Amino acid sequence: MRWETAPDALADAALVVECGPERMDVKERILRTLDAACGPDTVLASCTSAIPVEILAGHTGRPDRVLATHFMNPAHLKDAVEVVRGPRTSEESLATVLALLDAIGKRAHLVRDSPGFVSNRVLMPMINDAAARVEEGTADAETVDLLFTDCFGHAMGPLRTADLIGLDTVLDSLVVLRETTGDPRFEPTALLRGLVERGHRGRKSGRGFHTYGTR
Protein backbone atom coordinates (compact mmCIF):
# COMPACT_ATOMS: atom_id res chain seq x y z
CA MET A 1 0.00 0.00 0.00
CA ARG A 2 1.31 3.46 -0.89
CA TRP A 3 0.26 7.08 -1.25
CA GLU A 4 0.43 8.79 -4.64
CA THR A 5 -0.34 12.32 -5.81
CA ALA A 6 -0.13 11.80 -9.60
CA PRO A 7 -2.86 9.68 -11.25
CA ASP A 8 -0.39 8.24 -13.79
CA ALA A 9 1.49 6.55 -10.94
CA LEU A 10 -1.55 4.37 -10.29
CA ALA A 11 -1.51 2.47 -13.57
CA ASP A 12 -0.49 -0.82 -11.96
CA ALA A 13 -2.47 -0.49 -8.71
CA ALA A 14 -4.78 -3.33 -7.73
CA LEU A 15 -6.99 -1.03 -5.64
CA VAL A 16 -7.31 2.74 -5.35
CA VAL A 17 -9.25 4.51 -2.57
CA GLU A 18 -10.31 8.08 -3.34
CA CYS A 19 -11.13 10.51 -0.54
CA GLY A 20 -12.18 13.70 -2.28
CA PRO A 21 -14.72 16.14 -0.82
CA GLU A 22 -18.33 14.97 -0.63
CA ARG A 23 -19.52 16.79 -3.74
CA MET A 24 -20.88 14.95 -6.73
CA ASP A 25 -19.06 17.06 -9.32
CA VAL A 26 -15.74 16.56 -7.51
CA LYS A 27 -16.26 12.81 -7.18
CA GLU A 28 -17.16 12.59 -10.87
CA ARG A 29 -13.98 14.40 -11.88
CA ILE A 30 -11.82 12.18 -9.65
CA LEU A 31 -13.38 8.93 -10.81
CA ARG A 32 -13.15 9.84 -14.49
CA THR A 33 -9.48 10.67 -13.96
CA LEU A 34 -8.81 7.41 -12.13
CA ASP A 35 -10.72 5.37 -14.69
CA ALA A 36 -8.49 6.77 -17.43
CA ALA A 37 -5.23 6.43 -15.48
CA CYS A 38 -5.63 2.99 -13.90
CA GLY A 39 -5.33 -0.41 -15.49
CA PRO A 40 -8.54 -2.21 -16.50
CA ASP A 41 -8.42 -4.54 -13.50
CA THR A 42 -7.96 -1.84 -10.84
CA VAL A 43 -10.74 -1.67 -8.24
CA LEU A 44 -11.90 1.87 -7.47
CA ALA A 45 -13.17 2.38 -3.93
CA SER A 46 -14.72 5.70 -2.95
CA CYS A 47 -14.59 7.01 0.59
CA THR A 48 -17.95 8.65 0.00
CA SER A 49 -20.28 9.16 2.93
CA ALA A 50 -23.54 9.59 1.04
CA ILE A 51 -23.31 9.34 -2.78
CA PRO A 52 -24.76 6.06 -4.10
CA VAL A 53 -22.23 3.67 -5.60
CA GLU A 54 -24.31 3.30 -8.74
CA ILE A 55 -23.97 7.03 -9.44
CA LEU A 56 -20.21 6.87 -8.90
CA ALA A 57 -19.84 3.74 -11.02
CA GLY A 58 -21.64 5.48 -13.87
CA HIS A 59 -18.68 7.86 -14.23
CA THR A 60 -16.40 4.95 -15.13
CA GLY A 61 -16.17 2.21 -17.72
CA ARG A 62 -15.78 -0.41 -14.99
CA PRO A 63 -18.98 -0.41 -12.88
CA ASP A 64 -18.23 -3.96 -11.72
CA ARG A 65 -15.04 -2.66 -10.08
CA VAL A 66 -16.51 0.28 -8.15
CA LEU A 67 -17.74 0.26 -4.56
CA ALA A 68 -17.63 2.43 -1.45
CA THR A 69 -15.41 2.16 1.60
CA HIS A 70 -16.89 4.62 4.07
CA PHE A 71 -14.12 5.04 6.64
CA MET A 72 -15.30 6.65 9.86
CA ASN A 73 -13.73 9.84 11.19
CA PRO A 74 -11.06 9.86 12.53
CA ALA A 75 -10.10 6.92 10.33
CA HIS A 76 -6.90 6.10 12.20
CA LEU A 77 -8.86 5.61 15.44
CA LYS A 78 -12.00 3.93 14.11
CA ASP A 79 -11.76 0.21 13.35
CA ALA A 80 -15.08 -0.08 11.51
CA VAL A 81 -15.65 0.64 7.81
CA GLU A 82 -19.05 0.71 6.12
CA VAL A 83 -18.54 -1.16 2.84
CA VAL A 84 -21.19 -0.49 0.20
CA ARG A 85 -21.66 -2.88 -2.68
CA GLY A 86 -23.27 -1.37 -5.74
CA PRO A 87 -25.75 -3.29 -7.89
CA ARG A 88 -23.00 -4.03 -10.42
CA THR A 89 -20.06 -4.57 -8.05
CA SER A 90 -18.48 -7.98 -8.70
CA GLU A 91 -17.67 -10.62 -6.11
CA GLU A 92 -14.00 -10.32 -7.08
CA SER A 93 -13.94 -6.57 -6.42
CA LEU A 94 -15.68 -6.99 -3.08
CA ALA A 95 -13.21 -9.70 -2.06
CA THR A 96 -10.27 -7.43 -2.96
CA VAL A 97 -11.57 -4.66 -0.71
CA LEU A 98 -12.44 -6.96 2.17
CA ALA A 99 -8.96 -8.50 2.05
CA LEU A 100 -7.32 -5.07 2.20
CA LEU A 101 -9.44 -3.94 5.13
CA ASP A 102 -8.64 -7.12 7.02
CA ALA A 103 -4.92 -6.66 6.32
CA ILE A 104 -4.93 -3.16 7.85
CA GLY A 105 -6.95 -4.21 10.90
CA LYS A 106 -10.35 -2.79 9.93
CA ARG A 107 -13.73 -4.46 10.47
CA ALA A 108 -15.94 -4.32 7.39
CA HIS A 109 -19.71 -3.95 7.72
CA LEU A 110 -21.29 -4.72 4.37
CA VAL A 111 -24.47 -2.92 3.28
CA ARG A 112 -26.41 -2.51 0.05
CA ASP A 113 -26.37 0.63 -2.05
CA SER A 114 -28.63 3.52 -1.08
CA PRO A 115 -28.19 7.28 -0.61
CA GLY A 116 -26.33 7.73 2.68
CA PHE A 117 -26.17 3.94 3.04
CA VAL A 118 -27.09 3.08 6.67
CA SER A 119 -24.83 5.28 8.81
CA ASN A 120 -25.51 8.67 7.27
CA ARG A 121 -29.06 7.96 6.18
CA VAL A 122 -29.77 7.74 9.93
CA LEU A 123 -27.15 10.12 11.36
CA MET A 124 -27.52 13.13 9.06
CA PRO A 125 -31.22 13.82 9.73
CA MET A 126 -30.53 13.43 13.46
CA ILE A 127 -27.76 16.05 13.28
CA ASN A 128 -29.97 18.32 11.19
CA ASP A 129 -32.87 17.94 13.65
CA ALA A 130 -30.55 18.61 16.59
CA ALA A 131 -29.33 21.79 14.89
CA ALA A 132 -32.96 22.81 14.31
CA ARG A 133 -33.72 22.50 18.03
CA VAL A 134 -30.84 24.89 18.76
CA GLU A 135 -31.91 27.21 15.96
CA GLU A 136 -35.48 27.47 17.28
CA GLY A 137 -34.29 28.03 20.87
CA THR A 138 -35.57 24.80 22.42
CA ALA A 139 -32.13 24.15 23.97
CA ASP A 140 -28.52 25.14 23.50
CA ALA A 141 -26.00 22.81 21.87
CA GLU A 142 -24.55 21.65 25.18
CA THR A 143 -27.96 20.62 26.51
CA VAL A 144 -28.90 18.84 23.29
CA ASP A 145 -25.74 16.75 23.45
CA LEU A 146 -26.06 16.06 27.19
CA LEU A 147 -29.50 14.58 26.62
CA PHE A 148 -27.97 12.01 24.29
CA THR A 149 -24.95 11.20 26.48
CA ASP A 150 -26.76 11.23 29.84
CA CYS A 151 -30.13 9.81 28.81
CA PHE A 152 -29.20 7.42 26.02
CA GLY A 153 -25.60 6.54 26.85
CA HIS A 154 -24.14 7.83 23.57
CA ALA A 155 -20.40 8.50 23.63
CA MET A 156 -21.09 11.91 22.07
CA GLY A 157 -24.21 13.86 21.28
CA PRO A 158 -25.19 14.57 17.67
CA LEU A 159 -23.75 18.08 17.57
CA ARG A 160 -20.34 17.09 18.97
CA THR A 161 -20.39 14.23 16.49
CA ALA A 162 -21.04 16.75 13.71
CA ASP A 163 -18.15 18.89 14.96
CA LEU A 164 -15.88 15.84 14.86
CA ILE A 165 -16.93 14.90 11.33
CA GLY A 166 -16.55 18.50 10.16
CA LEU A 167 -19.54 20.75 9.57
CA ASP A 168 -18.53 21.34 5.97
CA THR A 169 -18.64 17.59 5.35
CA VAL A 170 -21.98 17.33 7.16
CA LEU A 171 -23.37 20.12 5.00
CA ASP A 172 -22.11 18.51 1.79
CA SER A 173 -23.59 15.16 2.84
CA LEU A 174 -26.98 16.71 3.57
CA VAL A 175 -26.98 18.43 0.18
CA VAL A 176 -26.23 15.11 -1.54
CA LEU A 177 -28.98 13.35 0.41
CA ARG A 178 -31.47 16.10 -0.40
CA GLU A 179 -30.64 15.83 -4.09
CA THR A 180 -30.64 12.03 -4.28
CA THR A 181 -33.71 11.32 -2.14
CA GLY A 182 -35.86 14.43 -2.57
CA ASP A 183 -36.62 14.19 1.15
CA PRO A 184 -37.02 17.65 2.77
CA ARG A 185 -35.67 16.27 6.07
CA PHE A 186 -32.23 16.61 4.53
CA GLU A 187 -32.54 20.33 3.77
CA PRO A 188 -29.68 21.83 5.83
CA THR A 189 -30.71 24.22 8.59
CA ALA A 190 -29.81 27.89 8.30
CA LEU A 191 -27.76 27.52 11.49
CA LEU A 192 -25.56 24.82 9.94
CA ARG A 193 -25.13 26.74 6.70
CA GLY A 194 -24.26 29.90 8.61
CA LEU A 195 -21.59 28.20 10.71
CA VAL A 196 -19.90 26.77 7.62
CA GLU A 197 -20.08 30.09 5.77
CA ARG A 198 -18.34 31.78 8.70
CA GLY A 199 -15.57 29.18 8.69
CA HIS A 200 -16.76 27.40 11.86
CA ARG A 201 -16.28 23.84 10.62
CA GLY A 202 -16.06 22.04 13.97
CA ARG A 203 -13.07 20.64 15.81
CA LYS A 204 -10.68 21.12 12.89
CA SER A 205 -11.29 24.88 12.91
CA GLY A 206 -11.61 25.22 16.69
CA ARG A 207 -15.30 26.09 16.64
CA GLY A 208 -18.56 24.61 15.41
CA PHE A 209 -21.62 24.00 17.51
CA HIS A 210 -19.12 23.96 20.38
CA THR A 211 -15.79 25.74 20.96
CA TYR A 212 -12.54 23.76 21.15
CA GLY A 213 -9.96 26.31 22.30
CA THR A 214 -7.64 28.51 20.29
CA ARG A 215 -5.93 27.46 17.08
Side-chain angles (χ1 to χ4, degrees):
M1 186 168 60
R2 68 180 192 265
W3 297 94
E4 294 289 356
T5 57
D8 291 345
L10 304 173
D12 61 346
L15 168 66
V16 175
V17 180
E18 72 81 18
C19 298
E22 194 65 7
R23 299 174 196 149
M24 288 202 277
D25 60 330
V26 175
K27 295 290 192 187
E28 177 180 356
R29 185 168 65 251
I30 291 172
L31 285 164
R32 289 189 183 279
T33 299
L34 291 175
D35 191 43
C38 296
D41 295 329
T42 303
V43 176
L44 302 180
S46 175
C47 191
T48 179
S49 57
I51 304 172
V53 170
E54 184 64 1
I55 291 177
L56 299 173
H59 301 314
T60 76
R62 62 184 80 201
D64 60 318
R65 295 187 174 275
V66 179
L67 70 168
T69 47
H70 181 202
F71 287 81
M72 302 298 156
N73 186 37
H76 67 291
L77 296 179
K78 299 288 186 178
D79 292 336
V81 178
E82 186 179 32
V83 177
V84 187
R85 181 178 186 173
R88 292 185 282 176
T89 305
S90 69
E91 291 286 349
E92 180 184 5
S93 299
L94 179 61
T96 298
V97 166
L98 295 179
L100 171 67
L101 293 175
D102 183 64
I104 62 175
K106 300 294 186 181
R107 296 193 311 275
H109 298 287
L110 182 63
V111 304
R112 294 177 63 180
D113 197 21
S114 176
F117 322 127
V118 173
S119 59
N120 280 335
R121 191 67 171 266
V122 175
L123 177 62
M124 290 299 147
M126 181 171 70
I127 290 173
N128 210 33
D129 281 344
R133 303 292 74 77
V134 175
E135 185 176 83
E136 71 188 11
T138 302
D140 60 17
E142 187 67 28
T143 301
V144 169
D145 281 339
L146 284 172
L147 285 166
F148 280 81
T149 57
D150 291 357
C151 296
F152 303 137
H154 291 198
M156 288 189 296
L159 300 178
R160 286 196 184 277
T161 299
D163 282 348
L164 179 62
I165 294 169
L167 299 190
D168 50 341
T169 300
V170 170
L171 177 59
D172 287 342
S173 297
L174 284 167
V175 169
V176 166
L177 286 164
R178 183 69 173 92
E179 291 177 356
T180 54
T181 68
D183 190 334
R185 293 184 307 147
F186 296 111
E187 183 63 37
T189 63
L191 174 58
L192 175 61
R193 287 188 181 276
L195 287 169
V196 173
E197 288 171 1
R198 294 193 298 275
H200 303 320
R201 296 173 295 149
R203 291 179 65 98
K204 61 189 174 184
S205 69
R207 181 179 173 187
F209 289 106
H210 300 276
T211 300
Y212 299 91
T214 58
R215 289 179 62 86

